[in-house]
């Protein structure tokens, strides 16, 4: 019975996953999908004997870290010859037609991500390997399973018993921008472009991180022995029928003119795509002709990549500004003589940090090439040395803060310089207050950046706690405010006292503690007092908290000024604890638990489940504890202590069985799936 139910749930969830992510035509609501997923999670937890690595539950990833095995490709992953010139492309076509006569070509977009080979055996995903050096790559299967557009099981039954499906793992711009915004907030280095972000993400050791990064995958090539197709178009069509996401942009072209038209179209239209492309790949369609043309040592002779030119402009670097962020990080920004680039006027470009400037030997007065990195933020890629003025001097990076004059410092392992004068440096003070009031933190309406600056200039606020002492009468006389706005501001400051603890924690602006980390910390420690009392070892027990974040928290809390602010916020009545959630049942009322080791769900999810059913979580095994839930890799000492004190020891399955009768497991904050846009609608050329 249960076994059959598990199978049905797995099949059903996979079908709805495909309808949602590949077809963009969901048939059930997110809520219904989540319900089915939670039912399957609970059944799988209770029946580990029916485990399947390709179960849809694996798509959320795991926080167990894994080392990647290097494995050999059964069929080597070759590279492609490439050209930036249409003339060379025309030679390529001429050469082919000389050898095999007139022929059909398939033109595809060249996706700018990282190549992957997906191995399928009997219709199930067996392994996923990165390109590596083409002969061997890294086994990244657990990470790949989290990409929702990749089928874990194929549809129909016409697939070969073993074959490999190849394509590109991409990070859509929307995910890329979101991740970089988060990284910026946390003071981490940014990904330079979506390609690096996709490749970096695939090499993440915890697949649960990959699951949240919003990767996508488009497949464009089959590899195998005796594949039952005679053309590339037929192979692609079959792949789409088996459930792979293929590109809608691929076109069959019959001659040079059609190929040129395809390139001309996409050179413009690619700007409207939700992901990065860097060219067009032109492939001979017919497999017999491909065999006739053969390979060089590195690449097929039947395909070539035409690469789009990155749009560049040459302009003068007039001066450099140094911006100081709320964490004290200094970012150099280039002021350029205005120049047209990819449809916009560019006046400024990021220079990242001192190393980057030294690497390119950038000097004020130089003529520099500006590119749109990943089509987003303009950056300087090169100096035109031929035009360097004779009297040019190497750039001296600043040594003191441009805002407050404090000598700058460098922290180990960080490329940026920092101004350490946290409590006396204007942009840091204002930046912290602006961070605190933002929508994702305390959401104080009516208080914008300008008003915060105004309050600061007038000596009304020096830190976030000062906000709670403000009175309408102090604000009303200020320029642009007046009584009504003043009252509105005071009301929203008062309302912000009810903002949940995790958002307050995020609002404090602790280095590296972004929105997600704040949520995990709140889930784990429940109260600010518990967090403040935690040791380094206890901090890293919380999900996603590593040593770097733990140290940043300790450093923040060690600062007397910060502790004073926290006490003032407490006195003002802000939320220093996680609010109680609605109970799913009272099955565990009066029982206390200690959770230890690794589980199929995260420890914090398990703890939440305990509380939702009326149970209590305790930190350490003692005589007051009723149950110890023992996961994988739990220390032997804990078990011994529990046995000595007569504490009952439960496995995860036993615990799940305990609450199974009390109703379905309650949803944790599962992230709602994000709808991806389909590729552009068909354009010129014959469809296939
Ligand atoms: S076909 C043997 N098609 O470009 C040829 N490659 O520079 C196999 N790429 O390693 C590749 N889009 O990562 C092919 N539509 C496309 C592609 C594509 C992007 C990448 C791929 C390959 C690299 C070669």
């Amino acid at each position: 019975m249960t076994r059959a139910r598990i199978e049905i749930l797995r099949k059903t969830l996979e079908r709805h996953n495909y309808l949602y992510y590949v077809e963009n035509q969901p048939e059930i609501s997110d809520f219904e999908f989540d319900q089915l997923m939670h039912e399957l999670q609970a059944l799988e937890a209770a029946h580990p004997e029916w485990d399947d690595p390709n179960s849809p539950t694996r798509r959320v990833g795991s926080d167990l870290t894994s080392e990647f095995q290097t494995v050999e490709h059964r069929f080597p992953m070759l590279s492609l010859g490439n050209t930036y010139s249409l003339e060379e492309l025309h030679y390529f076509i001429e050469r082919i037609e000389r050898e095999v006569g007139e022929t059909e070509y398939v033109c595809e977009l060249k996706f700018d991500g990282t190549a992957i080979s997906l191995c399928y055996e009997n219709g199930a995903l067996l392994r996923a390997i990165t390109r590596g050096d083409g002969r061997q790559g890294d086994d990244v299967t657990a990470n790949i399973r989290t990409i929702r557009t990749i089928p874990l099981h194929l549809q129909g039954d016409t697939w070969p018993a073993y074959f490999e499906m190849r394509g590109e793992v991409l990070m859509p711009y929307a995910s890329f921008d979101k991740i970089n915004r988060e990284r910026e907030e946390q003071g981490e280095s940014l990904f330079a472009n979506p390609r690096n972000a996709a490749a970096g993400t695939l090499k993440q050791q915890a697949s649960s991180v990959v699951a949240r990064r919003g990767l996508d995958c488009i497949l464009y090539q089959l590899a195998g022995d005796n594949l039952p197709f005679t053309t590339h178009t037929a192979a692609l069509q079959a792949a789409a029928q088996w459930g792979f996401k293929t590109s809608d942009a691929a076109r069959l072209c019959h001659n040079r003119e059609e190929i040129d038209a395809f390139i001309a179209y996409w050179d413009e239209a690619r700007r409207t795509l939700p992901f990065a492309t860097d060219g067009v790949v032109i492939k001979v369609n017919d497999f017999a002709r491909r065999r006739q043309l053969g390979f060089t040592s590195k690449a097929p002779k039947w395909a070539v990549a035409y690469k789009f030119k990155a749009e560049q402009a040459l302009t003068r670097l007039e001066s450099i500004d140094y911006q100081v962020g709320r964490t004290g990080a200094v970012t150099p920004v280039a002021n350029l003589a205005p120049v047209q680039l990819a449809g916009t006027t560019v006046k400024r470009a990021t220079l990242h940090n001192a190393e980057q400037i030294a690497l390119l030997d950038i000097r004020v007065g130089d003529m520099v090439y500006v590119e749109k990195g990943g089509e987003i933020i303009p950056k300087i890629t090169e100096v035109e040395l031929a035009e360097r003025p004779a009297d040019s001097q190497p750039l001296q990076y600043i040594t003191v803060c441009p805002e407050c004059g404090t000598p700058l410092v460098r922290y180990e392992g960080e490329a940026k310089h920092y101004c350490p004068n946290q409590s006396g440096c204007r942009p840091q003070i204002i930046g912290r207050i602006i961070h605190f009031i933002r929508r994702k933190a305390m959401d104080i309406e009516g208080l914008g950046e300008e008003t915060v600056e105004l309050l600061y200039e007038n000596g009304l606020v020096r830190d976030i706690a000062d906000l709670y002492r403000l009175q309408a009468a102090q604000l009303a006389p200020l320029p642009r405010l007046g009584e009504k706005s003043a009252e509105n501001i005071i009301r929203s400051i008062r309302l912000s006292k009810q903002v949940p603890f995790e958002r307050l924690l995020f609002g404090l602006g602790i280095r590296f503690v972004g929105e997600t980390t704040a949520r995990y910390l709140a889930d784990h420690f429940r109260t600010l007092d518990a967090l403040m009392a935690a040791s380094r070892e206890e901090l890293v027990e919380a999900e996603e908290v590593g040593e770097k974040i733990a140290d940043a928290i300790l450093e923040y809390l060690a600062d007397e000024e910060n502790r004073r602010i926290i006490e003032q916020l407490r006195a003002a009545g802000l939320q220093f604890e996680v609010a109680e959630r609605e109970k799913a049942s009272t099955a565990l009322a009066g029982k206390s638990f200690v959770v230890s080791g690794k589980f199929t769900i995260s420890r914090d999810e398990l703890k939440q489940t305990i509380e939702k059913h009326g149970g209590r979580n305790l930190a350490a095994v003692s005589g007051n504890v009723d149950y110890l839930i023992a996961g994988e890799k739990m220390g032997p000492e804990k078990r011994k202590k529990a046995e000595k004190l007569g504490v009952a020891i439960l496995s995860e399955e036993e615990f799940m069985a305990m609450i199974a009768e009390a109703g379905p497991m309650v949803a944790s904050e599962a992230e709602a799936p994000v709808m991806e846009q389909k590729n552009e609608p068909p354009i010129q050329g014959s469809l296939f």
Side-chain angles (χ1 to χ4, degrees), residues 78 80 108-111 115 131 168 220-221 281 283 300:
L78 299 175
L80 279 179
E108 296 172 4
L109 290 172
K110 186 167 181 331
F111 306 104
R131 180 168 183 281
E168 206 80 355
Y220 47 67
Q221 196 200 2
V281 182
K283 306 173 176 175

Side-chain angles (χ1 to χ4, degrees), residues 69-369:
Q69 301 260 343
T70 304
V71 280
E72 203 140 311
H73 290 293
R74 237 199 249 190
F75 311 98
M77 286 182 85
L78 299 175
S79 64
L80 279 179
N82 68 54
T83 174
Y84 286 90
S85 120
L86 281 180
E87 208 185 349
E88 269 181 36
L89 175 66
H90 296 156
Y91 287 142
F92 166 84
I93 297 167
E94 273 171 30
R95 181 176 56 74
I96 285 185
E97 310 225 323
R98 259 202 317 275
E99 280 194 44
V100 298
E102 236 173 65
T103 186
E104 290 175 342
Y105 302 89
V106 178
C107 288
E108 296 172 4
L109 290 172
K110 186 167 181 331
F111 306 104
D112 200 7
T114 183
I116 192 78
S117 186
L118 309 172
C119 313
Y120 285 83
E121 194 169 64
N122 301 324
L125 178 67
L126 175 68
R127 212 177 297 118
I129 316 173
T130 60
R131 180 168 183 281
D133 63 3
R135 313 236 142 247
Q136 49 182 31
D138 283 336
D139 181 334
V140 290
T141 317
N143 287 347
I144 283 294
R145 283 200 186 97
T146 69
I147 302 177
R148 314 280 166 147
T149 44
I150 294 180
L152 302 176
H153 294 100
L154 302 181
Q155 298 171 14
D157 54 10
T158 55
W159 21 263
Y162 179 89
F163 74 103
E164 299 184 9
M165 191 73 220
R166 282 156 181 196
E168 206 80 355
V169 172
L170 302 168
M171 184 173 286
Y173 289 128
S175 314
F176 173 75
D177 291 343
K178 177 166 170 274
I179 288 162
N180 263 354
R181 270 199 306 275
E182 285 170 6
R183 291 174 79 90
E184 182 145 43
E185 248 166 43
Q186 304 192 12
E188 292 179 44
S189 62
L190 303 189
F191 285 120
N193 52 48
R195 176 178 7 97
N196 290 4
T201 299
L202 263 199
K203 294 287 174 67
Q204 279 286 323
Q205 291 195 327
S207 54
S208 56
V209 175
V210 185
R212 286 192 296 274
R213 289 264 180 102
L215 292 177
D216 200 349
C217 182
I218 300 184
L219 287 315
Y220 47 67
Q221 196 200 2
L222 270 84
D225 287 321
N226 309 319
L227 294 177
F229 306 107
T230 55
T231 61
H232 183 54
T233 44
L236 283 182
Q237 255 169 353
Q241 274 163 14
W242 299 333
F244 290 108
K245 179 165 174 170
T246 53
S247 168
D248 295 344
R251 286 290 172 281
L252 196 58
C253 293
H254 302 85
N255 50 46
R256 172 173 137 169
E257 288 70 33
E258 286 182 12
I259 294 173
D260 287 356
F262 184 91
I263 292 174
Y265 176 85
W266 282 110
D267 201 358
E268 262 318 298
R270 70 192 181 109
R271 289 179 227 291
T272 63
L273 291 172
F275 46 76
T277 53
D278 62 341
V280 163
V281 182
I282 300 104
K283 306 173 176 175
V284 169
N285 189 28
D286 181 63
F287 287 170
R289 289 192 172 89
R290 284 189 181 187
R291 279 191 291 275
Q292 228 177 310
L293 289 158
F295 297 85
T296 68
S297 61
K298 281 189 295 211
K301 291 191 192 166
W302 42 259
V304 72
Y306 171 84
K307 302 253 276 188
F308 297 131
K309 278 179 214 55
E311 283 187 77
Q312 268 196 342
L314 187 63
T315 188
R316 191 169 304 281
L317 170 61
E318 295 186 328
S319 62
I320 294 179
D321 284 342
Y322 296 89
Q323 292 178 345
V324 182
R326 77 176 157 86
T327 60
V330 175
T331 306
V333 178
N335 293 312
L336 305 164
V339 64
Q340 282 297 115
L341 179 60
T344 54
T345 308
V346 174
K347 295 188 208 114
R348 285 159 80 78
T350 169
L351 289 168
H352 301 290
N353 52 52
E355 270 165 33
Q356 188 71 17
I357 294 176
L359 202 70
L360 297 174
D361 185 20
I362 294 173
R363 305 178 183 190
V364 172
D366 275 344
M367 291 301 286
V368 292
Y369 288 98

